[in-house]
Amino acid sequence: MSSRRMTVFLSSTEAEFEPFRDAIIAHMATLDHFLCDHMRNFGSRDSGAVALCHERVRGADVLLGLTGFYRGWEPPGDNRQRSITEMEYDWAADGDTSRLMFVLPDDKAMAAPAQPPELAARQKVFRSRVLADNTVDQRILRGDLADPANFAAAVMTALANITYRELIKATQASASVLAGQRPPATAAPLAQKRSIFGWLFGSPTAATGRERDIAAYQKTRTPGQLPPPPAPVAKPVPSPDAPADIAPTLAAFAADPAYAALFADPAAFDIAKLEAAVVARGDERQRVANDQLQSERRAAASDYSRLAELTGFFDIEKARRYWGLAYAADPTDGFALHQYAERCVASGRTAEAEAAFARFDPVAAAAANLRGAYWAQLGYGDLCCSQGDLTLASQAFVGARDIANREAKANPSDLSWQRDLSGSHDRIGDVLVAQANLPDALKAFNDGLAIAQRLATADPGNAGWQRDL
């Protein structure tokens, strides 16, 4: 996954969709990989609103359109008498911005604000055009997504499916080239659209001020303008066990005979079907004979972890659930425990995170997966810090440091243990600062710094080592 975030331009009338817009904005605010752009971010401008909207739509990866019955503003001077949302829809089609449309069902027409009959008639024509041009989410047509939170989740699933489908096409095309075969006619060329492919593969994009505008808006808005987003998930020190992107995770699922059929037609791929298949297979694996149980449970945990990695880009709550299932399937999987606990804390489920750590057996975990045990110790220390228990936090961080130190000495060629050791020194230093033990804190920080310097010097082209330094 490229470091550039996917920009989603949110297009709708305010009158009909305010709670839905707020839910989408709040949901995306919890995710690192998305930037939700909308008119509330624009602020005071020297340029006209129409020109600015045109610029932002053409610079976005996806136009997320919410179409109802209210016409909204029709900018003067347009000989087609289009509303601003209709213009945004056309600008996306004229450029290379993908469109993802949701349409209110007919039984919601009476809820629209009053407007002249001629405006309502023009909006009806536009609605018909949207329905004819796009495959819209049928659940909103039936009114099943009346709850704003459920609607926001459906929007993110739709965005996820767009992303996964393009990744699957690109992966299949690359595999054909590597095998000396001609890419199938259905495979999407990597340069077909700047929009989704630009986000996935890091293509250059037009320089705009969207990110600066949004950051400035979020800093200056007064409380009550938007519902506060959930607290962001704490970000652990990057681990070699955590994939840098979702393409290899998708490829691993596609290569598994149990799931391969779901990937046969990229255009029809649906993450919800993959989720159901993984859960069903996990249940089946945990019903096998006792002599096979341990290996089957670990295999189930591996699938749940992959699913958590995929869904975590779009839905933190789903990621929490699947990391929890991974840990439940394999209680020695410390990394799954760490990821689950972080998401519990982020969603206000601190007691669940504490209960999970209380059940964790570091000795058994270390025997099965030393790095998992390391991450569990680190995660427990982070949780203790958040609750102000510095003594327990220090004990957990020292436990993580001892694991990393032992493995770094036993496996000097495995530089990831060196990096983990450096990270644990930093965590210990933070606790010592909070305890006002500055001499020992300085020593811990210097120990971590020395490792980071050695790694960065040994491999100056490694961006991860340089960032750590």
Side-chain angles (χ1 to χ4, degrees):
M1 186 67 62
S2 79
S3 60
R4 191 178 74 80
R5 292 192 283 176
M6 177 189 279
T7 300
V8 179
F9 186 92
L10 182 53
S11 173
S12 77
T13 55
E14 191 84 7
E16 291 175 289
F17 290 101
E18 185 170 12
F20 296 96
R21 289 169 61 96
D22 290 348
I24 292 168
I25 293 166
H27 191 125
M28 287 195 191
T30 68
L31 302 170
D32 288 341
H33 307 283
F34 293 90
L35 182 69
C36 188
D37 196 11
H38 47 91
M39 292 188 70
R40 289 176 181 173
N41 295 328
F42 292 177
S44 178
R45 293 281 177 161
D46 188 32
S47 59
V50 174
L52 185 58
C53 286
H54 181 265
E55 173 197 335
R56 304 292 267 262
V57 170
R58 295 295 294 270
D61 298 302
V62 176
L63 174 81
L64 174 58
L66 312 183
T67 305
F69 296 88
Y70 186 65
R71 184 64 173 166
W73 178 46
E74 290 185 348
D78 181 56
N79 56 15
R80 294 165 59 185
Q81 292 185 298
R82 293 175 297 175
S83 68
I84 188 65
T85 54
E86 189 171 3
M87 287 180 172
E88 290 165 351
Y89 178 83
D90 290 337
W91 293 331
D94 294 340
D96 56 3
T97 301
S98 299
R99 295 184 299 194
L100 186 62
M101 304 300 296
F102 291 80
V103 183
L104 279 179
D106 290 336
D107 62 6
K108 301 295 183 184
M110 299 302 295
Q115 59 186 334
E118 62 272 17
L119 294 184
R122 286 200 287 273
Q123 182 65 7
K124 184 176 180 180
V125 172
F126 175 49
R127 280 171 49 84
S128 298
R129 186 156 68 94
V130 170
L131 289 170
D133 289 351
N134 300 272
T135 301
V136 300
D137 191 314
Q138 293 297 312
R139 289 173 299 172
I140 193 170
L141 286 177
R142 297 196 306 268
D144 295 347
L145 297 179
D147 179 73
N150 291 340
F151 178 79
V155 167
M156 296 311 297
T157 296
L159 282 171
N161 280 332
I162 290 176
T163 305
Y164 297 143
R165 288 164 187 168
E166 301 297 353
L167 272 174
I168 294 166
K169 290 177 187 177
T171 302
Q172 290 181 347
S174 300
S176 297
V177 171
L178 290 174
Q181 303 169 359
R182 184 174 181 177
T186 56
L190 295 187
Q192 180 181 353
K193 287 174 72 70
R194 178 208 51 81
S195 56
I196 299 299
F197 283 108
W199 177 60
L200 294 176
F201 303 110
S203 301
T205 57
T208 71
R210 289 191 306 273
E211 297 216 18
R212 291 191 301 273
D213 294 340
I214 291 175
Y217 168 77
Q218 290 172 339
K219 287 180 180 178
T220 58
R221 69 180 176 83
T222 57
Q225 285 182 282
L226 290 178
V233 173
K235 300 299 185 295
V237 177
S239 163
D241 293 336
D245 57 57
I246 57 177
T249 307
L250 271 175
F253 273 126
D256 189 324
Y259 308 114
L262 298 174
F263 294 80
D265 180 4
F269 178 80
D270 186 345
I271 184 62
K273 293 180 180 178
L274 178 61
E275 291 179 54
V278 169
V279 171
R281 193 182 185 202
D283 290 343
E284 181 182 343
R285 277 173 154 161
Q286 295 179 66
R287 289 195 296 266
V288 300
N290 286 338
D291 58 342
Q292 297 176 289
L293 185 57
Q294 187 176 39
S295 62
E296 289 297 312
R297 290 181 73 94
R298 286 181 179 167
S302 177
D303 280 356
Y304 284 133
S305 295
R306 283 195 215 136
L307 196 54
E309 290 159 4
L310 283 183
T311 57
F313 279 89
F314 300 92
D315 193 320
I316 290 174
E317 183 57 26
K318 279 188 176 181
R320 182 196 65 80
R321 180 194 175 207
Y322 293 127
W323 282 122
L325 287 174
Y327 172 62
D330 180 9
T332 68
D333 188 342
F335 183 72
L337 169 62
H338 182 199
Q339 297 296 315
Y340 169 73
E342 281 194 331
R343 285 151 184 81
C344 283
V345 173
S347 57
R349 304 168 184 262
T350 307
E352 291 182 30
E354 286 185 90
F357 279 119
R359 295 194 304 270
F360 186 68
D361 183 349
V363 176
N369 181 350
L370 275 170
R371 184 158 275 118
Y374 165 86
W375 278 99
Q377 293 281 77
L378 214 64
Y380 184 50
D382 287 340
L383 177 62
C384 293
C385 278
S386 71
Q387 297 177 320
D389 193 332
L390 299 182
T391 300
L392 284 180
S394 178
Q395 292 172 1
F397 291 148
V398 167
R401 181 202 63 190
D402 291 346
I403 292 173
N405 190 44
R406 184 171 63 249
E407 292 307 300
K409 290 179 179 177
N411 304 284
S413 61
D414 186 348
L415 299 184
S416 60
W417 279 117
Q418 297 284 341
R419 189 184 200 187
D420 290 341
L421 180 57
S422 177
S424 60
H425 282 307
D426 290 345
R427 294 290 221 286
I428 291 169
D430 288 337
V431 171
L432 291 168
V433 168
Q435 293 174 328
N437 186 349
L438 300 187
D440 287 348
L442 182 59
K443 181 182 184 304
F445 288 137
N446 277 329
D447 288 343
L449 176 60
I451 297 171
Q453 287 174 325
R454 286 200 302 271
L455 293 173
T457 301
D459 187 1
N462 186 313
W465 301 158
Q466 299 298 326
R467 181 190 60 208
D468 291 347
L469 180 56

